[in-house]
């Protein structure tokens, strides 16, 4: 498979869970996953708790493909269920890596769904294997599961085991976990990834984004606090805050720039408003004389509206996006690869012909897609193309779930802004400044991770973390001796 927008950042995963007084929990999770489909299109799954017995179904593809009407009708009833839609930041694309993972152990059964990326997963996996653990997947979610189960053997409850496991796992994780009697939501102590709680009647819902709560008719209650363990059982909802440590938090700013849906509210801030603000900051930082502002669908549109409002330059629709092609397209021959963007996007020539165009997009990673988009505008008759990007230049790898693994393919890490402008064929190019990217949220107390722009990591990260960090040929060993990189080292 070849990604249509092959140099765009890929989405995170989406997690969803429900504890209900009814029995049709599968349809609730199905609807919630539909709302979170933008966070991952490679695989999805649902695990259902039917009177203490946890079973489910998962597969490769979109929610609508994996869960046909026949599949949904065959799923058991129950009072709890969790779901997951996945883009693989670690581990390969295979049905074994699809989530939720269901693990049966000596003290019962547990299902787990994970959004994020551990920084010490490879080291933990080696330690677990040396004590007899057997792994069936190549995702770091199974490392979390094994760590929790090890702690469960010496704990009085699943929540105590999770709390103890949190002292060992490091990195980004928002988890939805289901035991035979409890639905549990967990967020890492720095709060890298979003996770929220809602309620519909007597039903409790947990989800990656508030848009999923809206889709099932649930009212937003609150976000899960960084480091918090929220337990939902027959007695209601309670929480453990032993791992809620004081100090700086580190929410991924790219959730606001690109990953999250515009209609979501995360940690008290509206995503749509944040993107409007990004566009306004761009207009102040990088003004230019032009006739029209357009955005690259979908995440560039809100920032384009913000740029237009701040600058006074009219906004118009410059591209029509094909809604029926999906996120991937099989292209066996080079001529087809050259035409993929025309299949996905088509210019409205009357908007750009003979005009000076300001093109707004959320990011430039490798630059290949930006170059093709600019070419489409030139061919449609644009007189000038001035590109503005609603994020700073990507200069460093991300170890917390965003699919940026090395500097090698980051165009900004190897070229100046002027050189990038020449490579992609624009008349001028401007990126949002790091100082302003931290001001996007309505909530002024929200603290962001900007390490992919600055190289200043909030926790220790490995020197090297290959994408498929568990997949090795026989006889090859993973070098775990690399010294960690600390924030102050950058």
């Amino acid at each position: 498979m070849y990604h249509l927008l092959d140099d765009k950042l890929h989405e995170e995963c989406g997690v969803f869970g429900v504890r209900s007084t009814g029995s049709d929990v599968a349809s609730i999770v199905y609807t919630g996953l539909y709302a979170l489909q933008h966070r991952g299109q490679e695989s999805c799954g649902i695990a259902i708790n039917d009177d203490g017995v946890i079973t489910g179904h998962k597969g490769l593809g979109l929610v609508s493909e994996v869960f046909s009407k026949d599949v949904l009708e065959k799923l058991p009833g129950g009072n709890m269920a969790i779901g997951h839609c996945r883009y693989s930041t670690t581990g390969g694309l295979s049905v074994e890596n699809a989530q939720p993972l269901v693990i049966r152990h000596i003290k019962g059964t547990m299902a787990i769904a994970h959004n994020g990326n551990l920084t010490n997963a490879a080291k933990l996996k080696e330690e677990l294997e040396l004590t007899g653990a057997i792994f069936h997947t190549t995702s770091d979610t199974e490392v979390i599961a094994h760590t929790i189960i090890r702690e469960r053997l010496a704990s009085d409850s699943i929540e105590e085991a999770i709390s103890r496991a949190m002292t060992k796992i490091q990195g980004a994780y928002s988890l939805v976990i289901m035991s035979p009697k409890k639905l549990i939501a967990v967020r890492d102590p720095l709060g890298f990834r979003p996770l929220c709680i809602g309620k519909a009647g007597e039903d409790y819902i947990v989800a990656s984004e508030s848009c999923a709560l809206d889709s099932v008719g649930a009212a937003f209650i609150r976000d899960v606090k960084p480091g918090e363990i929220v337990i939902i059982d027959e007695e209601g909802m309670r929480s453990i805050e032993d791992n809620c440590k004081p100090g700086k938090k580190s929410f991924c700013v790219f959730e606001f720039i690109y990953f999250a849906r515009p209609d979501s509210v995360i940690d008290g801030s509206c995503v749509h408003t944040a993107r409007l603000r990004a566009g306004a900051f761009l207009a102040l930082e990088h003004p230019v004389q032009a006739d029209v502002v357009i955005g690259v669908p979908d995440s560039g549109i809100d920032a384009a509206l913000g740029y237009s409002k701040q600058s006074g330059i009219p906004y118009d629709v410059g591209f029509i996006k094909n809604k029926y092609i999906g996120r991937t397209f099989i292209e066996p021959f080079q001529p087809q690869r050259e035409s993929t963007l025309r299949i996905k996007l088509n210019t409205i020539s009357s908007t750009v012909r003979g005009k000076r165009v300001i093109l707004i997009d959320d990011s430039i990673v490798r630059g290949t897609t930006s170059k093709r988009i600019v070419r489409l505008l030139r061919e449609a008759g644009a007189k000038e193309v001035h590109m503005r990007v609603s994020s700073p230049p990507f200069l460093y790898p991300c170890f917390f779930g965003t699919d940026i693994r090395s500097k090698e393919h980051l165009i900004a890490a190897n070229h100046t802004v002027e050189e990038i402008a020449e490579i992609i064929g624009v008349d001028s190019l401007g990126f949002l400044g790091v100082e302003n990217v931290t001001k996007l949220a309505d909530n002024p107390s929200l603290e962001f991770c900007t390490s992919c722009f600055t190289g200043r990591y909030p926790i220790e990260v490995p020197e090297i973390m290959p994408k498929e960090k568990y997949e090795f040929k026989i006889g090859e060993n993973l070098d775990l001796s690399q010294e960690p990189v600390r924030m102050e080292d950058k």
Side-chain angles (χ1 to χ4, degrees), residues 149-166:
I149 291 168
R150 285 291 170 93
E151 296 300 332
R152 181 68 181 94
L153 299 178
S155 304
D156 293 329
S157 66
I158 182 66
E159 57 266 35
E160 180 186 342
I162 293 169
S163 183
R164 293 171 63 165
M166 289 175 70

Side-chain angles (χ1 to χ4, degrees), residues 90-345:
T90 63
L93 175 58
S94 67
V95 70
E96 289 80 10
N97 285 327
Q99 297 182 36
L101 299 182
V102 178
I103 301 99
R104 292 169 176 83
H105 56 95
I106 195 169
K107 287 198 172 183
T109 307
M110 179 182 74
I112 181 170
H114 169 218
N115 171 211
N117 200 69
L118 299 188
T119 56
N120 67 334
K123 183 178 180 181
L124 284 175
K125 182 174 185 287
E126 184 184 52
E127 293 172 356
L128 288 162
E129 287 182 322
L130 289 174
T131 58
I134 298 173
F135 286 80
H136 299 282
T137 77
T138 57
S139 75
D140 54 359
T141 307
E142 193 174 12
V143 174
I144 298 174
H146 272 284
T147 304
I148 293 172
I149 291 168
R150 285 291 170 93
E151 296 300 332
R152 181 68 181 94
L153 299 178
S155 304
D156 293 329
S157 66
I158 182 66
E159 57 266 35
E160 180 186 342
I162 293 169
S163 183
R164 293 171 63 165
M166 289 175 70
T167 65
K168 296 184 176 181
I169 59 177
Q170 299 170 9
Y173 53 91
S174 285
L175 308 172
V176 178
I177 298 170
M178 184 170 63
S179 74
K181 295 184 178 180
K182 299 169 185 175
L183 178 68
I184 302 173
V186 186
R187 197 173 177 193
D188 70 74
L190 289 178
F192 280 104
R193 298 292 157 207
L195 193 61
C196 62
I197 310 166
K199 196 174 184 184
E202 297 302 312
D203 297 354
Y204 282 95
I205 312 288
V206 293
S208 290
E209 295 183 36
S210 64
C211 65
L213 303 180
D214 298 335
S215 72
V216 298
F220 174 84
I221 298 177
R222 64 177 177 88
D223 295 284
V224 178
K225 300 174 186 176
E228 184 181 18
I229 302 170
V230 176
I231 304 102
I232 302 167
D233 57 20
E234 59 186 7
E235 297 179 0
M237 186 175 76
R238 55 192 169 86
S239 72
I240 298 172
E241 299 187 10
D242 294 349
N243 293 291
C244 297
K245 307 298 183 184
K248 185 175 176 63
K249 305 306 176 187
S250 196
F251 184 74
C252 175
V253 73
F254 221 72
E255 291 283 352
F256 283 106
I257 296 169
Y258 175 62
F259 288 138
R261 246 174 59 167
D263 53 332
S264 287
V265 176
I266 300 175
D267 285 333
S269 295
C270 174
V271 174
H272 169 69
T273 302
R275 291 176 186 170
L276 290 175
R277 188 172 286 129
F281 281 135
L282 272 175
L284 294 172
E285 289 186 41
H286 302 287
V288 64
Q289 293 295 316
D291 303 305
V292 65
V293 180
I294 65 172
V296 177
D298 289 309
S299 54
I301 292 175
D302 292 344
L305 289 168
Y307 193 105
S308 172
K309 184 176 181 180
Q310 180 65 43
S311 66
I313 300 171
Y315 167 83
D316 206 343
V317 178
F319 294 100
I320 294 296
K321 182 178 179 181
N322 188 331
K323 299 178 182 179
Y324 305 102
I325 192 171
R327 291 296 185 105
T328 56
F329 187 74
I330 299 172
E331 300 156 320
F333 305 111
Q334 184 64 26
Q336 289 173 280
R337 291 178 179 160
E338 293 299 321
S339 66
T340 51
L341 203 60
R342 296 180 186 275
I343 298 170
K344 178 101 175 188
L345 294 177

